[in-house]
Amino acid sequence: MKKEKYIFDADTLSHIADLARLDISGEEAELMLPQMREIIGFAAEICGVESSDMQDGRVAERAELLREDIPEKSFSREALMSAAKYTDGEYFLVPDALENGGAKQ
């Protein structure tokens, strides 16, 4: 497996913050950048572990813990829409996502 070097820099952090619609101050970015680099580095280490010869028997065990998916009576769309603060009648509207026309500037 070819190991690729991924550079996590201030621009990448800023881009991710924009995608997540987060306002991160310069001070917060200075704090977060080394932490994010450590997280990305750890994830890269995990990806590099050879695991093709490992067997995972836990998948079957977990399947037994899941409940059966049985449809149940729920609220009507009309009841939920009438209780929502922001709606167009069909969908819930999220004020923060609408402030800049849906795009971060």
Side-chain angles (χ1 to χ4, degrees):
M1 182 157 123
K2 183 180 174 187
K3 192 172 187 177
E4 292 183 32
K5 179 85 171 158
Y6 181 77
I7 298 172
F8 194 93
D9 58 13
D11 289 337
T12 305
L13 179 60
S14 176
H15 179 68
I16 290 172
D18 286 345
L19 292 173
R21 304 189 58 77
L22 298 173
D23 291 323
I24 297 176
S25 69
E27 187 177 292
E28 290 171 317
E30 283 182 35
L31 254 163
M32 291 179 80
L33 197 53
Q35 295 171 346
M36 293 300 292
R37 285 181 177 145
E38 191 173 330
I39 292 167
I40 298 295
F42 181 68
E45 281 183 47
I46 291 173
C47 288
V49 172
E50 176 57 46
S51 61
S52 61
D53 62 338
M54 293 183 184
Q55 246 184 339
D56 186 6
R58 293 177 292 165
V59 174
E61 294 169 11
R62 288 184 194 143
E64 295 170 4
L65 298 176
L66 299 175
R67 65 170 174 76
E68 187 177 345
D69 190 12
I70 302 170
E72 297 178 4
K73 187 170 176 94
S74 186
F75 296 102
S76 70
R77 174 181 288 270
E78 294 79 23
L80 294 174
M81 288 293 133
S82 67
K85 187 171 184 178
Y86 300 104
T87 176
D88 66 0
E90 188 174 356
Y91 299 102
F92 295 108
L93 302 178
V94 182
D96 291 342
L98 301 176
E99 284 179 9
N100 296 319
K104 184 149 179 141
Q105 298 184 11

